[in-house]
Amino acid sequence: MPDQHLLALQLEHLKQLQSRYEHALESHGYNTLLMASGFAPYQYGDDQAWHFQGYGPFLHWTGLTGREHCWLLIRVGQKPVLWLYEPIDFWHAGRPLPEEPWLQAVEVRSRRTPDAPELTTCNGLAVIGDPVLLDGLPGDINPPALLKALDETRVHKTDYEIGCLAHANTLALEGHRAAQTAFLNGESEFAISLAYQQATRQREADAPYHSIIGLNEHAGTLHYQYYDIQPPGLPRSLLIDAGVRYRGYCSDITRTTAGSGEAHFAALVQGLERLQLRLCAMVAPGVDYIDIHRKAHQGLAVLLSASGLVKGLDDEAIVEQGITRAFFPHGIGHFLGVQVHDVAGRPVPPPEDAPFLRLTRMLEPGMVVTIEPGLYFIPSLLRPLLSGPLGHHLNRELLDELQGCGGIRIEDNVVVSDSGHTNLTRKAEP
């Protein structure tokens, strides 16, 4: 049961959402919005459905993951109405809503059928959600300008949302500690995954994303998706990128651990963590997020030079020649909320030197971002460097030694405050 303070914050959260949505609706000529929670379609040629987690705007209002075929009605100046799909079903178990104060702020109704509720009036109506569910409904279906405005309502988190994100960090860190212990005890990727799930008390399917758990060279695949069931003969490194979903809100944390006897790799992990903390310290109102990304490359150049991985070039040239991009090919982070890569992060395209950057905005109070620099030894990215005119600047012997460690990523979840920032991840550490 959440603490009473968080439940009280949820009531204020709903008031703020009502105000934000009313402004968005009226600005675009609407007075009523019907949204679908979504559904899990069946896999082609099978009677098994995909796992379901819910449509972002619906989760923003309710936090109810796993609730298919529900509908939420938002009207200007009126109480929201939530229709819960509650069929009579002996195949599957129902899940009653817990008695919480927010239910008094919403009119809750029960429906036996999954179809949309019939509305008494359809004037000024917009309907949003999975188009498969909306076919044939009255009103404007997924109007692009309104959808963009609704995405903006999620950019600045309420105090309730930040409380949920903070707790999701606390829960995830319990899993990360268990995963590190399992690694140091010589367990396999699969066993490490089980240790993480046991510690977080969360099924893999209910996590905000498929946990990335890579040992040794697997840590060099950015979204490594498999779990070996046998431990490696020599455990050299662990990279785990894993989070927890709490009341709809996601944490997204990455940690890297060096194995016993990996002195060079351990030094790089420590160096990247120092850089990561400096980057987190940059988070503040008025800071261009792209500048944090570029500062990451400048810091990585210093680390590559200091470690002896790159020699004969100054730090500026290491960045300008594209060497840091071969070691750190992704963006420095993204928005975080009810989606791991939360919406509205790229009002303008990313710059040419950062094509995968998911956030291109000036930071403002209430935004929640991830800061996740990396340093990887990815053969397909390093091979062109080694065979090209810059190859003699790379320490091939050291690269060969580190290749089997895969790579490093360190990621925290950070709130932009009025005067600076709060690192939710580090704050939750014991």
Side-chain angles (χ1 to χ4, degrees), residues 50-90:
W50 300 103
H51 188 75
F52 175 74
Q53 294 210 15
Y55 180 44
F58 183 82
L59 297 183
H60 194 204
W61 275 87
T62 69
L64 298 177
T65 58
R67 289 276 184 167
E68 298 182 80
H69 299 296
C70 297
W71 300 84
L72 182 66
L73 182 69
I74 307 299
R75 296 165 295 178
V76 173
Q78 298 187 57
K79 194 175 187 178
V81 180
L82 171 63
W83 285 274
L84 293 177
Y85 177 49
E86 298 178 312
I88 298 173
D89 185 2
F90 57 83

Side-chain angles (χ1 to χ4, degrees), residues 18 25 105 134 136 148 177 210 258 267 306 336 403:
Q18 182 75 26
L25 287 170
L134 310 185
K148 184 177 180 180
R177 287 191 289 272
H210 181 79
L336 184 69
Q403 193 86 59

Side-chain angles (χ1 to χ4, degrees), residues 52-225:
F52 175 74
Q53 294 210 15
Y55 180 44
F58 183 82
L59 297 183
H60 194 204
W61 275 87
T62 69
L64 298 177
T65 58
R67 289 276 184 167
E68 298 182 80
H69 299 296
C70 297
W71 300 84
L72 182 66
L73 182 69
I74 307 299
R75 296 165 295 178
V76 173
Q78 298 187 57
K79 194 175 187 178
V81 180
L82 171 63
W83 285 274
L84 293 177
Y85 177 49
E86 298 178 312
I88 298 173
D89 185 2
F90 57 83
W91 290 104
H92 304 97
R95 181 178 291 180
L97 294 183
E99 291 294 329
E100 294 182 349
W102 76 273
L103 294 177
Q104 304 306 312
V106 176
E107 182 182 343
V108 180
R109 303 177 185 177
S110 179
R111 287 179 64 80
R112 301 299 187 195
T113 60
D115 51 301
E118 293 185 7
L119 303 180
T120 56
T121 178
C122 296
N123 294 326
L125 171 67
V127 187
I128 64 173
D130 188 331
V132 174
L133 292 172
L134 310 185
D135 186 40
L137 295 184
D140 289 349
I141 305 301
N142 288 327
L146 178 62
L147 288 176
K148 184 177 180 180
L150 296 181
D151 284 350
E152 287 293 321
T153 69
R154 291 161 58 181
V155 168
H156 302 92
K157 269 51 179 181
T158 64
D159 290 343
Y160 168 73
E161 294 180 277
I162 292 171
C164 290
L165 291 164
H167 194 64
N169 269 262
T170 298
L171 295 175
L173 284 173
E174 294 181 18
H176 277 267
R177 287 191 289 272
Q180 184 184 61
T181 297
F183 164 67
L184 295 175
N185 288 336
E187 299 285 4
S188 68
E189 292 167 346
F190 180 70
I192 293 170
S193 173
L194 293 180
Y196 180 85
Q197 292 176 57
Q198 180 69 32
T200 57
R201 299 172 294 282
Q202 174 188 253
R203 296 187 308 159
E204 174 80 15
D206 294 325
Y209 57 97
H210 181 79
S211 299
I212 300 165
I213 299 174
L215 296 180
N216 298 358
E217 67 276 3
H218 293 162
T221 300
L222 302 185
H223 287 171
Y224 176 71
Q225 70 273 42

Side-chain angles (χ1 to χ4, degrees), residues 3 18 37 51 94 98 139 173-174 183 210 248 268 312-313 324 326 348 369:
D3 62 54
Q18 182 75 26
S37 69
H51 188 75
L173 284 173
E174 294 181 18
F183 164 67
H210 181 79
L268 287 171
L313 289 172
T324 55
V348 297
V369 302

Side-chain angles (χ1 to χ4, degrees), residues 255-267:
R255 292 293 184 261
T256 306
T257 304
S260 176
E262 296 293 340
H264 280 135
F265 187 72

Side-chain angles (χ1 to χ4, degrees), residues 6 19 56 59 64 66 84 142 150 178 225 316 376 386-387 394 400 405:
L6 189 65
S19 176
L59 297 183
L64 298 177
L84 293 177
N142 288 327
L150 296 181
Q225 70 273 42
E316 184 177 347
Y376 311 92
L386 289 167
S387 61
L394 273 64
D400 288 342
C405 293

